[in-house]
Amino acid sequence: GGRMEVLEENEEEERREEELMKALEISDELHDIETKLSVDQVCVPSDVSDFDWSSIDISQLPSSYKTNSPREKKLLRIADHYLQQYTHLCPDRKPLFLYPINECGVKKFVSTTVRPTLLPYTELYHWDGCASFVCDYLTMEPLKSPLTPPSSLYSPTTILKYQRGNCFDFSVLLCSMLIGAGYDAYCVNGYATQDICSLDETLEVCPLLRKPQEVPKEITKKPNKYRVKSSPDLQSKFELQQEAKKKAETEATHKNKERGEEKVMEVEKPTRDPLCGLRVHAWVLVLSGKREVPEPFFINPFTGNSHSTMDEHFLGIESVWNHKNYWMNMQDCQNGCKDLIFDLGDTVRWEIMLSETDKPLQMLLDAEEENELFDRNMDDIEDEEEEEKDTSFAMPPTWVAPIQISPREFETRCSQGKKVIMYKKAKLEKWAPYLNKNGLVKRLTVYADLRCTEVVEVKEWFKNREDMLDMREFNKKTQLTTEYFSPGHLLGLKVHIYKSMEPETERVMEFYNESRVDGLQKRAENATEIKEYFVGRDDFKYFQHTEFGKRGKKISVAGTRTDINSRPIVQMKECFHRNLEKPADEDVAERVFLITEEMIQLTYHLKDKYITASKKEFFKPTENYRKQSEIMTPEMCIAYQAGSSVKDNKLLHLYKLLQELTEEEKQLKQQVRQSEAEVLNILKIRENEEADIKLTVSIYDTERNEKRRQQYEAMKNAMEDEFPVHEKQDLDYLAPFLIQIGYPEKMTKGQALRLRDDCLTDFKNRLIAKANIIQARFEKEVEELKKKNQQFQENQSQLSREEEAAFLAGYSETMFRIHILALRLNREKQTAPQKYLALEEKLRKDPRLAVYLSYD
């Protein structure tokens, strides 16, 4: 039976290979079928296929989008020649992706479509921030044919405007951002698996659920010849055999269940892809060197995830390019990208298109090796010489307009502010900030089955909440809800774990102990006890445990908590750290107040080289005994002094200690009641916060900050009411000079010319004076730098490391000031003539002087 199954599988594989060979013919019908197949299998919104790219408005695009410059035309001729050589040397390979048409129907070389851009957002200074932004902001569109690259490649500005594109559009945009951020990044035209090409992550584990791999520690036990020998095994071997049989039976039943589950899994798994290795995909390659990248890696622009260059999902590379050059891969990709060497300076493995590049010292082949590798005739050599002449110029500048993303677009991210990603047994939802009134920005739902029907756990992330709530977890199995808060909550709350918001139910509260006077770090409560943990207290207390008894017949009214209806305290226990200022046998380690038994137990810390601790037990006198006398008797205290057999008979000392303990017991009871009241207060506040959720708005957010906007408008209206004339008037440059001649209603032509000349001369002098001040400061800083240099060189051998570090810090600060002053001086020299001409033009148009200066 097993052999028959193997034969059937082999026959099926042969049939699939035959189908694959037929698929290699790439007929028009196959293109249509595969296009439909890819659209059906891709996990994208339904509105993607409805979008019509031919209807986009191109009338407002710059002229560089609609025409080619002379250098671009020359580049296209070089690309044609490069493509001819490529098809001659590699006739079996597919055509290269070199110059697709743009949105205006103009052929553009792919390298000129890359526009290096550094956007003014901190998150986009790193590769992972750029990748996550691109994958969130854009909506994925599948390639029209999964077997060939697209015939068009639109500019990143158009892709950003309509927020959609295919893998090539994603890659060009991401590569532009990465190069702008300083990375050595390249767009890649290659082949990948169906899951990567179709953005199918239903078989991938969600990144938020991936656990870091723990390296197992090898525990080496040294042999000890003095160790105690193990006792002989006295267990019955027959009983062991019987237990083994039972285990085998249970394992067999488990295996049957697992086989049933495996069958379900096999149904869920996708079938074997007949086009494996032929599906075209584009992604980004980041090489090592720049930005401290240790080794090359891939970035899948659809997901924003990084992958090793050895990843099995990437099956081959045709070519790579950046904004300066284009490289064709000459290495064998039978094993995917595992064996590829990404040294683009190696002309054997990577065929470069333009001879000029920013790569260091490229290795050239000798003439003999060239003859061995390629059997070329004289015509080929002449063509090669012509190509070298043609390619002896740098890549033309990009034709793409500057890439700009507004703060609102950067904040909104996803199309319509929401995105849903399905993973293996998980669903991830993302929202833009302020889109949800409760501040929800991300939610992860974990399921027990692959069909995502049975919810196991829900995690929610929040932003901009006034109650400082950051994250909430709900476990459906345990029915536990866990809330995490940022620092700044009204009551210093850090974590709240609960099943119900009803008081006196099981819950755990953690606090930011730095913000609390009592140093409370954690409080665990249920119906019968409260456990409190402390940090950094002056009295060295780190733990307190309170046990409660059952209430009497009186039932507490809902919403009221008084001492009469409160839970009776049965026992209070305190634990203390060691206080080194006291002797160990006088430093209390544990203190227990047994309320119902009228006892107080003290346990002291261990002394050095002792295994038992000193103890004292006090029996509080009854009320009748107190009325009769307040004398301390030996029976009221049982003491054990470690290391001493002599009994302490000083009853006065014990009497004072008992009085102190009874007073502290009263205070501790009050603290317990305060803790109960605080828990009730927190629950009430949390209920109010959840009932009326408020979001905070930054004072710099002028669009959302209604309060600040109203204040600004009120202040502006008040200023207009108070100064109605001066608000509308511009700065009058002629006012100081008109005062000198008494503001005449009419002036002569000579007065007007003199007024104009005096104003321009004064403005020119102020510009010169400003430049002189900057020049003087610049010369002063340079002189100080020379003095510091001289002092450092004279005393370098005598300086310590700290002094040398302090000098270098001051040196760098001085250099920074010199650099800023030089920039300011240069800017003043460049802008001064423009400012002078602008003022002259303004005076020429001034209505008071225009009549007299019209001759100019």
PDB file of all heavy atoms in Angstrom, residues 283-309:
ATOM      1  N   TRP A 283      11.885  43.908  -4.436  1.00  0.00           N
ATOM      2  CA  TRP A 283      12.120  44.221  -3.026  1.00  0.00           C
ATOM      3  C   TRP A 283      13.357  45.104  -2.922  1.00  0.00           C
ATOM      4  O   TRP A 283      13.886  45.584  -3.926  1.00  0.00           O
ATOM      5  CB  TRP A 283      12.244  42.944  -2.197  1.00  0.00           C
ATOM      6  CG  TRP A 283      13.405  42.053  -2.512  1.00  0.00           C
ATOM      7  CD1 TRP A 283      14.639  42.069  -1.953  1.00  0.00           C
ATOM      8  CD2 TRP A 283      13.437  40.980  -3.485  1.00  0.00           C
ATOM      9  NE1 TRP A 283      15.431  41.093  -2.483  1.00  0.00           N
ATOM     10  CE2 TRP A 283      14.727  40.405  -3.426  1.00  0.00           C
ATOM     11  CE3 TRP A 283      12.516  40.459  -4.381  1.00  0.00           C
ATOM     12  CZ2 TRP A 283      15.105  39.344  -4.233  1.00  0.00           C
ATOM     13  CZ3 TRP A 283      12.893  39.411  -5.174  1.00  0.00           C
ATOM     14  CH2 TRP A 283      14.169  38.856  -5.110  1.00  0.00           C
ATOM     15  N   VAL A 284      13.829  45.348  -1.710  1.00  0.00           N
ATOM     16  CA  VAL A 284      14.937  46.277  -1.481  1.00  0.00           C
ATOM     17  C   VAL A 284      16.106  45.521  -0.867  1.00  0.00           C
ATOM     18  O   VAL A 284      15.918  44.695   0.041  1.00  0.00           O
ATOM     19  CB  VAL A 284      14.501  47.438  -0.557  1.00  0.00           C
ATOM     20  CG1 VAL A 284      15.695  48.322  -0.193  1.00  0.00           C
ATOM     21  CG2 VAL A 284      13.435  48.273  -1.234  1.00  0.00           C
ATOM     22  N   LEU A 285      17.287  45.800  -1.370  1.00  0.00           N
ATOM     23  CA  LEU A 285      18.537  45.241  -0.835  1.00  0.00           C
ATOM     24  C   LEU A 285      19.299  46.350  -0.129  1.00  0.00           C
ATOM     25  O   LEU A 285      19.492  47.432  -0.694  1.00  0.00           O
ATOM     26  CB  LEU A 285      19.378  44.660  -1.979  1.00  0.00           C
ATOM     27  CG  LEU A 285      20.859  44.371  -1.682  1.00  0.00           C
ATOM     28  CD1 LEU A 285      20.991  43.233  -0.692  1.00  0.00           C
ATOM     29  CD2 LEU A 285      21.616  44.049  -2.966  1.00  0.00           C
ATOM     30  N   VAL A 286      19.713  46.092   1.111  1.00  0.00           N
ATOM     31  CA  VAL A 286      20.527  47.042   1.871  1.00  0.00           C
ATOM     32  C   VAL A 286      21.889  46.405   2.104  1.00  0.00           C
ATOM     33  O   VAL A 286      21.985  45.342   2.723  1.00  0.00           O
ATOM     34  CB  VAL A 286      19.867  47.412   3.218  1.00  0.00           C
ATOM     35  CG1 VAL A 286      20.736  48.405   3.983  1.00  0.00           C
ATOM     36  CG2 VAL A 286      18.477  48.000   2.987  1.00  0.00           C
ATOM     37  N   LEU A 287      22.942  47.040   1.594  1.00  0.00           N
ATOM     38  CA  LEU A 287      24.295  46.511   1.734  1.00  0.00           C
ATOM     39  C   LEU A 287      24.954  47.052   2.988  1.00  0.00           C
ATOM     40  O   LEU A 287      24.553  48.084   3.546  1.00  0.00           O
ATOM     41  CB  LEU A 287      25.137  46.865   0.508  1.00  0.00           C
ATOM     42  CG  LEU A 287      24.711  46.214  -0.816  1.00  0.00           C
ATOM     43  CD1 LEU A 287      25.688  46.567  -1.918  1.00  0.00           C
ATOM     44  CD2 LEU A 287      24.610  44.704  -0.678  1.00  0.00           C
ATOM     45  N   SER A 288      25.975  46.340   3.429  1.00  0.00           N
ATOM     46  CA  SER A 288      26.690  46.729   4.646  1.00  0.00           C
ATOM     47  C   SER A 288      27.600  47.914   4.358  1.00  0.00           C
ATOM     48  O   SER A 288      27.920  48.217   3.211  1.00  0.00           O
ATOM     49  CB  SER A 288      27.501  45.548   5.175  1.00  0.00           C
ATOM     50  OG  SER A 288      28.410  45.112   4.181  1.00  0.00           O
ATOM     51  N   GLY A 289      28.034  48.559   5.452  1.00  0.00           N
ATOM     52  CA  GLY A 289      28.953  49.694   5.321  1.00  0.00           C
ATOM     53  C   GLY A 289      28.346  50.951   5.877  1.00  0.00           C
ATOM     54  O   GLY A 289      28.676  51.383   6.986  1.00  0.00           O
ATOM     55  N   LYS A 290      27.429  51.550   5.148  1.00  0.00           N
ATOM     56  CA  LYS A 290      26.818  52.792   5.585  1.00  0.00           C
ATOM     57  C   LYS A 290      25.842  52.537   6.726  1.00  0.00           C
ATOM     58  O   LYS A 290      25.240  51.474   6.824  1.00  0.00           O
ATOM     59  CB  LYS A 290      26.097  53.468   4.415  1.00  0.00           C
ATOM     60  CG  LYS A 290      27.032  53.971   3.329  1.00  0.00           C
ATOM     61  CD  LYS A 290      26.247  54.704   2.242  1.00  0.00           C
ATOM     62  CE  LYS A 290      27.172  55.231   1.165  1.00  0.00           C
ATOM     63  NZ  LYS A 290      26.424  55.937   0.099  1.00  0.00           N
ATOM     64  N   ARG A 291      25.683  53.562   7.576  1.00  0.00           N
ATOM     65  CA  ARG A 291      24.760  53.514   8.726  1.00  0.00           C
ATOM     66  C   ARG A 291      25.022  52.304   9.620  1.00  0.00           C
ATOM     67  O   ARG A 291      24.116  51.753  10.249  1.00  0.00           O
ATOM     68  CB  ARG A 291      23.312  53.503   8.255  1.00  0.00           C
ATOM     69  CG  ARG A 291      22.796  54.787   7.627  1.00  0.00           C
ATOM     70  CD  ARG A 291      22.785  55.955   8.582  1.00  0.00           C
ATOM     71  NE  ARG A 291      21.970  55.675   9.745  1.00  0.00           N
ATOM     72  CZ  ARG A 291      20.683  55.983   9.846  1.00  0.00           C
ATOM     73  NH1 ARG A 291      20.079  56.588   8.838  1.00  0.00           N
ATOM     74  NH2 ARG A 291      20.012  55.721  10.935  1.00  0.00           N
ATOM     75  N   GLU A 292      26.283  51.868   9.685  1.00  0.00           N
ATOM     76  CA  GLU A 292      26.706  50.780  10.578  1.00  0.00           C
ATOM     77  C   GLU A 292      25.916  49.496  10.339  1.00  0.00           C
ATOM     78  O   GLU A 292      25.615  48.748  11.286  1.00  0.00           O
ATOM     79  CB  GLU A 292      26.582  51.217  12.035  1.00  0.00           C
ATOM     80  CG  GLU A 292      27.450  52.424  12.373  1.00  0.00           C
ATOM     81  CD  GLU A 292      27.324  52.842  13.832  1.00  0.00           C
ATOM     82  OE1 GLU A 292      26.534  52.195  14.555  1.00  0.00           O
ATOM     83  OE2 GLU A 292      28.004  53.792  14.226  1.00  0.00           O
ATOM     84  N   VAL A 293      25.555  49.236   9.091  1.00  0.00           N
ATOM     85  CA  VAL A 293      24.875  47.969   8.757  1.00  0.00           C
ATOM     86  C   VAL A 293      25.932  46.873   8.721  1.00  0.00           C
ATOM     87  O   VAL A 293      26.875  46.935   7.932  1.00  0.00           O
ATOM     88  CB  VAL A 293      24.165  48.081   7.400  1.00  0.00           C
ATOM     89  CG1 VAL A 293      23.545  46.753   7.011  1.00  0.00           C
ATOM     90  CG2 VAL A 293      23.097  49.166   7.456  1.00  0.00           C
ATOM     91  N   PRO A 294      25.811  45.824   9.565  1.00  0.00           N
ATOM     92  CA  PRO A 294      26.882  44.823   9.655  1.00  0.00           C
ATOM     93  C   PRO A 294      26.940  43.873   8.464  1.00  0.00           C
ATOM     94  O   PRO A 294      28.015  43.447   8.053  1.00  0.00           O
ATOM     95  CB  PRO A 294      26.556  44.064  10.947  1.00  0.00           C
ATOM     96  CG  PRO A 294      25.086  44.245  11.136  1.00  0.00           C
ATOM     97  CD  PRO A 294      24.747  45.583  10.554  1.00  0.00           C
ATOM     98  N   GLU A 295      25.794  43.520   7.888  1.00  0.00           N
ATOM     99  CA  GLU A 295      25.771  42.563   6.776  1.00  0.00           C
ATOM    100  C   GLU A 295      24.557  42.849   5.896  1.00  0.00           C
ATOM    101  O   GLU A 295      23.561  43.426   6.355  1.00  0.00           O
ATOM    102  CB  GLU A 295      25.718  41.124   7.291  1.00  0.00           C
ATOM    103  CG  GLU A 295      24.539  40.828   8.184  1.00  0.00           C
ATOM    104  CD  GLU A 295      24.568  39.423   8.754  1.00  0.00           C
ATOM    105  OE1 GLU A 295      25.607  38.745   8.618  1.00  0.00           O
ATOM    106  OE2 GLU A 295      23.550  39.003   9.323  1.00  0.00           O
ATOM    107  N   PRO A 296      24.620  42.457   4.606  1.00  0.00           N
ATOM    108  CA  PRO A 296      23.498  42.745   3.711  1.00  0.00           C
ATOM    109  C   PRO A 296      22.222  42.031   4.151  1.00  0.00           C
ATOM    110  O   PRO A 296      22.261  40.946   4.733  1.00  0.00           O
ATOM    111  CB  PRO A 296      23.986  42.213   2.353  1.00  0.00           C
ATOM    112  CG  PRO A 296      25.461  42.113   2.469  1.00  0.00           C
ATOM    113  CD  PRO A 296      25.750  41.807   3.900  1.00  0.00           C
ATOM    114  N   PHE A 297      21.085  42.675   3.863  1.00  0.00           N
ATOM    115  CA  PHE A 297      19.794  42.050   4.160  1.00  0.00           C
ATOM    116  C   PHE A 297      18.745  42.583   3.183  1.00  0.00           C
ATOM    117  O   PHE A 297      18.936  43.610   2.524  1.00  0.00           O
ATOM    118  CB  PHE A 297      19.368  42.295   5.610  1.00  0.00           C
ATOM    119  CG  PHE A 297      19.108  43.736   5.958  1.00  0.00           C
ATOM    120  CD1 PHE A 297      17.834  44.282   5.875  1.00  0.00           C
ATOM    121  CD2 PHE A 297      20.144  44.560   6.379  1.00  0.00           C
ATOM    122  CE1 PHE A 297      17.587  45.602   6.202  1.00  0.00           C
ATOM    123  CE2 PHE A 297      19.911  45.880   6.711  1.00  0.00           C
ATOM    124  CZ  PHE A 297      18.627  46.402   6.621  1.00  0.00           C
ATOM    125  N   PHE A 298      17.642  41.842   3.087  1.00  0.00           N
ATOM    126  CA  PHE A 298      16.524  42.212   2.229  1.00  0.00           C
ATOM    127  C   PHE A 298      15.430  42.865   3.075  1.00  0.00           C
ATOM    128  O   PHE A 298      15.292  42.583   4.271  1.00  0.00           O
ATOM    129  CB  PHE A 298      15.923  40.991   1.522  1.00  0.00           C
ATOM    130  CG  PHE A 298      16.862  40.316   0.547  1.00  0.00           C
ATOM    131  CD1 PHE A 298      16.794  38.935   0.328  1.00  0.00           C
ATOM    132  CD2 PHE A 298      17.801  41.051  -0.160  1.00  0.00           C
ATOM    133  CE1 PHE A 298      17.644  38.321  -0.571  1.00  0.00           C
ATOM    134  CE2 PHE A 298      18.648  40.441  -1.065  1.00  0.00           C
ATOM    135  CZ  PHE A 298      18.587  39.074  -1.261  1.00  0.00           C
ATOM    136  N   ILE A 299      14.629  43.705   2.423  1.00  0.00           N
ATOM    137  CA  ILE A 299      13.415  44.247   3.036  1.00  0.00           C
ATOM    138  C   ILE A 299      12.264  43.976   2.078  1.00  0.00           C
ATOM    139  O   ILE A 299      12.311  44.387   0.916  1.00  0.00           O
ATOM    140  CB  ILE A 299      13.519  45.760   3.300  1.00  0.00           C
ATOM    141  CG1 ILE A 299      14.699  46.082   4.214  1.00  0.00           C
ATOM    142  CG2 ILE A 299      12.232  46.284   3.943  1.00  0.00           C
ATOM    143  CD1 ILE A 299      14.924  47.572   4.430  1.00  0.00           C
ATOM    144  N   ASN A 300      11.257  43.265   2.567  1.00  0.00           N
ATOM    145  CA  ASN A 300      10.052  43.049   1.773  1.00  0.00           C
ATOM    146  C   ASN A 300       9.158  44.277   1.931  1.00  0.00           C
ATOM    147  O   ASN A 300       8.628  44.517   3.018  1.00  0.00           O
ATOM    148  CB  ASN A 300       9.316  41.797   2.239  1.00  0.00           C
ATOM    149  CG  ASN A 300       8.099  41.498   1.389  1.00  0.00           C
ATOM    150  OD1 ASN A 300       7.912  42.069   0.322  1.00  0.00           O
ATOM    151  ND2 ASN A 300       7.249  40.596   1.863  1.00  0.00           N
ATOM    152  N   PRO A 301       8.963  45.079   0.886  1.00  0.00           N
ATOM    153  CA  PRO A 301       8.226  46.341   1.060  1.00  0.00           C
ATOM    154  C   PRO A 301       6.754  46.141   1.370  1.00  0.00           C
ATOM    155  O   PRO A 301       6.117  47.033   1.919  1.00  0.00           O
ATOM    156  CB  PRO A 301       8.415  47.039  -0.295  1.00  0.00           C
ATOM    157  CG  PRO A 301       8.669  45.935  -1.267  1.00  0.00           C
ATOM    158  CD  PRO A 301       9.399  44.868  -0.508  1.00  0.00           C
ATOM    159  N   PHE A 302       6.187  44.974   1.037  1.00  0.00           N
ATOM    160  CA  PHE A 302       4.773  44.717   1.335  1.00  0.00           C
ATOM    161  C   PHE A 302       4.526  44.609   2.839  1.00  0.00           C
ATOM    162  O   PHE A 302       3.477  45.009   3.327  1.00  0.00           O
ATOM    163  CB  PHE A 302       4.313  43.434   0.655  1.00  0.00           C
ATOM    164  CG  PHE A 302       4.015  43.602  -0.811  1.00  0.00           C
ATOM    165  CD1 PHE A 302       3.904  42.502  -1.643  1.00  0.00           C
ATOM    166  CD2 PHE A 302       3.868  44.862  -1.366  1.00  0.00           C
ATOM    167  CE1 PHE A 302       3.625  42.656  -2.996  1.00  0.00           C
ATOM    168  CE2 PHE A 302       3.596  45.024  -2.715  1.00  0.00           C
ATOM    169  CZ  PHE A 302       3.481  43.919  -3.531  1.00  0.00           C
ATOM    170  N   THR A 303       5.474  44.025   3.568  1.00  0.00           N
ATOM    171  CA  THR A 303       5.293  43.797   5.008  1.00  0.00           C
ATOM    172  C   THR A 303       6.179  44.687   5.867  1.00  0.00           C
ATOM    173  O   THR A 303       5.909  44.851   7.056  1.00  0.00           O
ATOM    174  CB  THR A 303       5.595  42.330   5.355  1.00  0.00           C
ATOM    175  OG1 THR A 303       6.967  42.041   5.018  1.00  0.00           O
ATOM    176  CG2 THR A 303       4.682  41.399   4.592  1.00  0.00           C
ATOM    177  N   GLY A 304       7.267  45.235   5.303  1.00  0.00           N
ATOM    178  CA  GLY A 304       8.203  46.034   6.086  1.00  0.00           C
ATOM    179  C   GLY A 304       9.154  45.202   6.919  1.00  0.00           C
ATOM    180  O   GLY A 304       9.901  45.746   7.722  1.00  0.00           O
ATOM    181  N   ASN A 305       9.147  43.869   6.732  1.00  0.00           N
ATOM    182  CA  ASN A 305      10.004  42.984   7.512  1.00  0.00           C
ATOM    183  C   ASN A 305      11.360  42.817   6.831  1.00  0.00           C
ATOM    184  O   ASN A 305      11.460  42.827   5.607  1.00  0.00           O
ATOM    185  CB  ASN A 305       9.348  41.612   7.695  1.00  0.00           C
ATOM    186  CG  ASN A 305       8.048  41.689   8.452  1.00  0.00           C
ATOM    187  OD1 ASN A 305       7.864  42.584   9.288  1.00  0.00           O
ATOM    188  ND2 ASN A 305       7.125  40.791   8.186  1.00  0.00           N
ATOM    189  N   SER A 306      12.387  42.630   7.652  1.00  0.00           N
ATOM    190  CA  SER A 306      13.719  42.339   7.115  1.00  0.00           C
ATOM    191  C   SER A 306      13.902  40.832   6.988  1.00  0.00           C
ATOM    192  O   SER A 306      13.345  40.062   7.777  1.00  0.00           O
ATOM    193  CB  SER A 306      14.795  42.920   8.027  1.00  0.00           C
ATOM    194  OG  SER A 306      14.750  42.289   9.297  1.00  0.00           O
ATOM    195  N   HIS A 307      14.674  40.412   5.993  1.00  0.00           N
ATOM    196  CA  HIS A 307      14.946  39.005   5.744  1.00  0.00           C
ATOM    197  C   HIS A 307      16.438  38.836   5.466  1.00  0.00           C
ATOM    198  O   HIS A 307      17.080  39.725   4.900  1.00  0.00           O
ATOM    199  CB  HIS A 307      14.155  38.481   4.542  1.00  0.00           C
ATOM    200  CG  HIS A 307      12.672  38.572   4.701  1.00  0.00           C
ATOM    201  ND1 HIS A 307      11.901  37.522   5.152  1.00  0.00           N
ATOM    202  CD2 HIS A 307      11.811  39.590   4.479  1.00  0.00           C
ATOM    203  CE1 HIS A 307      10.631  37.890   5.191  1.00  0.00           C
ATOM    204  NE2 HIS A 307      10.555  39.145   4.781  1.00  0.00           N
ATOM    205  N   SER A 308      16.952  37.697   5.848  1.00  0.00           N
ATOM    206  CA  SER A 308      18.334  37.371   5.517  1.00  0.00           C
ATOM    207  C   SER A 308      18.456  37.133   4.017  1.00  0.00           C
ATOM    208  O   SER A 308      17.497  36.726   3.353  1.00  0.00           O
ATOM    209  CB  SER A 308      18.773  36.125   6.289  1.00  0.00           C
ATOM    210  OG  SER A 308      19.989  35.628   5.788  1.00  0.00           O
ATOM    211  N   THR A 309      19.645  37.364   3.480  1.00  0.00           N
ATOM    212  CA  THR A 309      19.869  37.080   2.060  1.00  0.00           C
ATOM    213  C   THR A 309      19.840  35.574   1.784  1.00  0.00           C
ATOM    214  O   THR A 309      19.827  35.166   0.624  1.00  0.00           O
ATOM    215  CB  THR A 309      21.212  37.657   1.605  1.00  0.00           C
ATOM    216  OG1 THR A 309      22.255  37.150   2.457  1.00  0.00           O
ATOM    217  CG2 THR A 309      21.201  39.174   1.685  1.00  0.00           C
TER     218      THR A 309
END
